[in-house]
Tab-separated table of all heavy atoms in Angstrom:
chain	number	residue	atom	x	y	z
H	163	ASN	N	152.940	279.840	298.351
H	163	ASN	CA	151.578	279.489	298.749
H	163	ASN	C	151.655	278.548	299.946
H	163	ASN	O	151.994	277.377	299.797
H	163	ASN	CB	150.850	278.804	297.587
H	163	ASN	CG	149.424	278.405	297.964
H	163	ASN	OD1	148.964	278.704	299.073
H	163	ASN	ND2	148.734	277.749	297.052
H	164	PRO	N	151.330	279.042	301.148
H	164	PRO	CA	151.421	278.169	302.331
H	164	PRO	C	150.292	277.143	302.349
H	164	PRO	O	150.287	276.229	303.160
H	164	PRO	CB	151.273	279.152	303.505
H	164	PRO	CG	150.563	280.338	302.954
H	164	PRO	CD	150.819	280.378	301.479
H	165	TYR	N	149.372	277.262	301.399
H	165	TYR	CA	148.143	276.489	301.423
H	165	TYR	C	148.161	275.336	300.405
H	165	TYR	O	147.436	274.372	300.545
H	165	TYR	CB	147.002	277.472	301.100
H	165	TYR	CG	145.628	276.913	301.140
H	165	TYR	CD1	144.943	276.763	302.345
H	165	TYR	CD2	144.979	276.544	299.958
H	165	TYR	CE1	143.659	276.251	302.365
H	165	TYR	CE2	143.703	276.033	299.973
H	165	TYR	CZ	143.047	275.884	301.181
H	165	TYR	OH	141.791	275.377	301.199
H	166	GLY	N	149.032	275.410	299.377
H	166	GLY	CA	149.030	274.421	298.285
H	166	GLY	C	149.515	273.053	298.731
H	166	GLY	O	150.208	272.910	299.742
H	167	GLY	N	149.156	272.032	297.949
H	167	GLY	CA	149.629	270.668	298.165
H	167	GLY	C	149.405	270.203	299.593
H	167	GLY	O	148.293	270.271	300.113
H	195	THR	N	151.035	284.030	299.840
H	195	THR	CA	149.669	284.332	299.399
H	195	THR	C	148.723	284.144	300.583
H	195	THR	O	148.865	283.196	301.352
H	195	THR	CB	149.241	283.404	298.240
H	195	THR	OG1	149.449	282.044	298.633
H	195	THR	CG2	150.030	283.684	296.984
H	196	ASN	N	147.763	285.054	300.687
H	196	ASN	CA	146.824	284.997	301.816
H	196	ASN	C	145.438	284.535	301.416
H	196	ASN	O	144.618	284.240	302.273
H	196	ASN	CB	146.699	286.378	302.473
H	196	ASN	CG	148.027	286.841	303.023
H	196	ASN	OD1	148.808	286.019	303.518
H	196	ASN	ND2	148.321	288.124	302.923
H	197	TYR	N	145.178	284.496	300.108
H	197	TYR	CA	143.841	284.097	299.651
H	197	TYR	C	143.928	283.740	298.167
H	197	TYR	O	144.944	283.974	297.511
H	197	TYR	CB	142.815	285.220	299.873
H	197	TYR	CG	143.321	286.596	299.470
H	197	TYR	CD1	143.184	287.057	298.167
H	197	TYR	CD2	143.972	287.426	300.399
H	197	TYR	CE1	143.659	288.313	297.803
H	197	TYR	CE2	144.452	288.678	300.041
H	197	TYR	CZ	144.284	289.115	298.737
H	197	TYR	OH	144.767	290.341	298.364
H	198	ARG	N	142.848	283.143	297.661
H	198	ARG	CA	142.764	282.801	296.231
H	198	ARG	C	142.978	284.041	295.389
H	198	ARG	O	142.474	285.108	295.728
H	198	ARG	CB	141.361	282.254	295.925
H	198	ARG	CG	141.294	280.769	295.787
H	198	ARG	CD	139.906	280.332	295.331
H	198	ARG	NE	139.854	280.169	293.877
H	198	ARG	CZ	139.143	280.930	293.062
H	198	ARG	NH1	138.431	281.925	293.522
H	198	ARG	NH2	139.161	280.691	291.779
H	199	LEU	N	143.694	283.931	294.320
H	199	LEU	CA	143.969	285.004	293.356
H	199	LEU	C	144.876	286.106	293.905
H	199	LEU	O	145.061	287.120	293.252
H	199	LEU	CB	142.658	285.616	292.809
H	199	LEU	CG	141.730	284.640	292.091
H	199	LEU	CD1	140.473	285.357	291.580
H	199	LEU	CD2	142.412	283.935	290.932
H	220	SER	N	154.946	276.650	295.017
H	220	SER	CA	153.505	276.374	294.993
H	220	SER	C	153.208	275.216	294.054
H	220	SER	O	154.113	274.609	293.492
H	220	SER	CB	152.794	277.617	294.440
H	220	SER	OG	153.179	277.810	293.077
H	221	GLY	N	151.915	274.994	293.844
H	221	GLY	CA	151.492	274.108	292.762
H	221	GLY	C	151.420	274.917	291.474
H	221	GLY	O	151.737	276.108	291.447
H	222	ASP	N	150.967	274.227	290.405
H	222	ASP	CA	150.908	274.883	289.104
H	222	ASP	C	149.891	276.030	289.067
H	222	ASP	O	150.002	276.947	288.261
H	222	ASP	CB	150.547	273.851	288.026
H	222	ASP	CG	151.658	272.810	287.848
H	222	ASP	OD1	152.842	273.187	287.958
H	222	ASP	OD2	151.346	271.634	287.616
H	223	GLY	N	148.914	275.973	289.965
H	223	GLY	CA	147.853	276.989	289.962
H	223	GLY	C	148.363	278.399	290.195
H	223	GLY	O	147.885	279.361	289.584
H	224	ILE	N	149.352	278.555	291.052
H	224	ILE	CA	149.872	279.892	291.358
H	224	ILE	C	150.647	280.440	290.148
H	224	ILE	O	150.564	281.621	289.830
H	224	ILE	CB	150.765	279.848	292.613
H	224	ILE	CG1	149.922	279.466	293.836
H	224	ILE	CG2	151.495	281.170	292.845
H	224	ILE	CD1	148.900	280.486	294.273
H	227	GLU	N	148.163	281.837	287.933
H	227	GLU	CA	147.692	283.135	288.457
H	227	GLU	C	148.686	284.242	288.108
H	227	GLU	O	148.297	285.352	287.735
H	227	GLU	CB	147.514	283.078	289.984
H	227	GLU	CG	146.262	282.366	290.420
H	227	GLU	CD	145.975	282.573	291.910
H	227	GLU	OE1	146.438	283.576	292.494
H	227	GLU	OE2	145.275	281.723	292.494
H	252	GLY	N	153.082	271.862	295.353
H	252	GLY	CA	151.641	271.685	295.164
H	252	GLY	C	151.289	270.216	295.064
H	252	GLY	O	152.098	269.346	295.351
H	253	THR	N	150.067	269.965	294.596
H	253	THR	CA	149.614	268.582	294.486
H	253	THR	C	150.143	267.939	293.202
H	253	THR	O	150.582	266.795	293.210
H	253	THR	CB	148.065	268.540	294.477
H	253	THR	OG1	147.605	269.330	295.554
H	253	THR	CG2	147.556	267.141	294.613
H	254	GLY	N	150.110	268.702	292.111
H	254	GLY	CA	150.434	268.101	290.823
H	254	GLY	C	151.862	268.313	290.363
H	254	GLY	O	152.591	267.373	290.099
H	317	GLU	N	138.041	265.303	295.476
H	317	GLU	CA	138.359	266.191	296.613
H	317	GLU	C	137.625	265.762	297.878
H	317	GLU	O	138.138	265.873	298.977
H	317	GLU	CB	137.952	267.639	296.295
H	317	GLU	CG	138.914	268.375	295.390
H	317	GLU	CD	140.218	268.731	296.096
H	317	GLU	OE1	140.184	268.986	297.302
H	317	GLU	OE2	141.263	268.724	295.419
H	320	ARG	N	139.452	263.458	300.248
H	320	ARG	CA	140.792	263.898	300.623
H	320	ARG	C	141.320	263.175	301.863
H	320	ARG	O	142.521	262.961	302.002
H	320	ARG	CB	140.799	265.416	300.874
H	320	ARG	CG	142.000	266.089	300.226
H	320	ARG	CD	141.927	267.586	300.313
H	320	ARG	NE	142.250	268.216	299.039
H	320	ARG	CZ	143.481	268.430	298.605
H	320	ARG	NH1	144.499	268.112	299.335
H	320	ARG	NH2	143.702	268.974	297.439
H	498	GLU	N	141.887	274.047	288.360
H	498	GLU	CA	140.784	274.895	288.839
H	498	GLU	C	139.559	274.652	287.958
H	498	GLU	O	139.682	274.546	286.736
H	498	GLU	CB	141.158	276.377	288.742
H	498	GLU	CG	142.355	276.779	289.575
H	498	GLU	CD	142.097	276.703	291.073
H	498	GLU	OE1	141.042	277.168	291.522
H	498	GLU	OE2	142.961	276.151	291.783
F	626	ATP	N1	146.363	281.563	301.715
F	626	ATP	C1	145.535	280.910	300.903
F	626	ATP	N2	144.362	280.424	301.341
F	626	ATP	C2	143.533	279.743	300.522
F	626	ATP	N3	143.784	279.487	299.210
F	626	ATP	C3	144.940	279.947	298.730
F	626	ATP	C4	145.874	280.680	299.529
F	626	ATP	N4	146.935	280.995	298.770
F	626	ATP	C5	146.671	280.500	297.537
F	626	ATP	N5	145.482	279.882	297.506
F	626	ATP	C6	144.869	279.147	296.391
F	626	ATP	O1	145.333	277.791	296.417
F	626	ATP	C7	145.074	277.207	295.154
F	626	ATP	C8	146.059	276.120	294.847
F	626	ATP	O2	147.319	276.643	294.754
F	626	ATP	P1	148.582	275.840	294.224
F	626	ATP	O3	148.592	275.845	292.769
F	626	ATP	O4	149.769	276.394	294.919
F	626	ATP	O5	148.416	274.365	294.801
F	626	ATP	P2	147.954	272.991	294.182
F	626	ATP	O6	148.592	271.950	294.957
F	626	ATP	O7	148.151	272.940	292.714
F	626	ATP	O8	146.467	272.989	294.474
F	626	ATP	P3	145.659	272.063	295.483
F	626	ATP	O9	146.509	271.774	296.665
F	626	ATP	O10	144.436	272.893	295.794
F	626	ATP	O11	145.346	270.856	294.667
F	626	ATP	C9	145.049	278.363	294.168
F	626	ATP	O12	143.771	278.427	293.601
F	626	ATP	C10	145.315	279.593	295.037
F	626	ATP	O13	144.580	280.709	294.606
Side-chain angles (χ1 to χ4, degrees):
N163 179 4
Y165 183 81
T195 53
N196 299 324
Y197 44 87
R198 257 186 95 247
L199 301 181
S220 65
D222 294 324
I224 295 292
E227 283 192 24
T253 311
E317 282 288 327
R320 225 173 226 278
E498 299 292 315

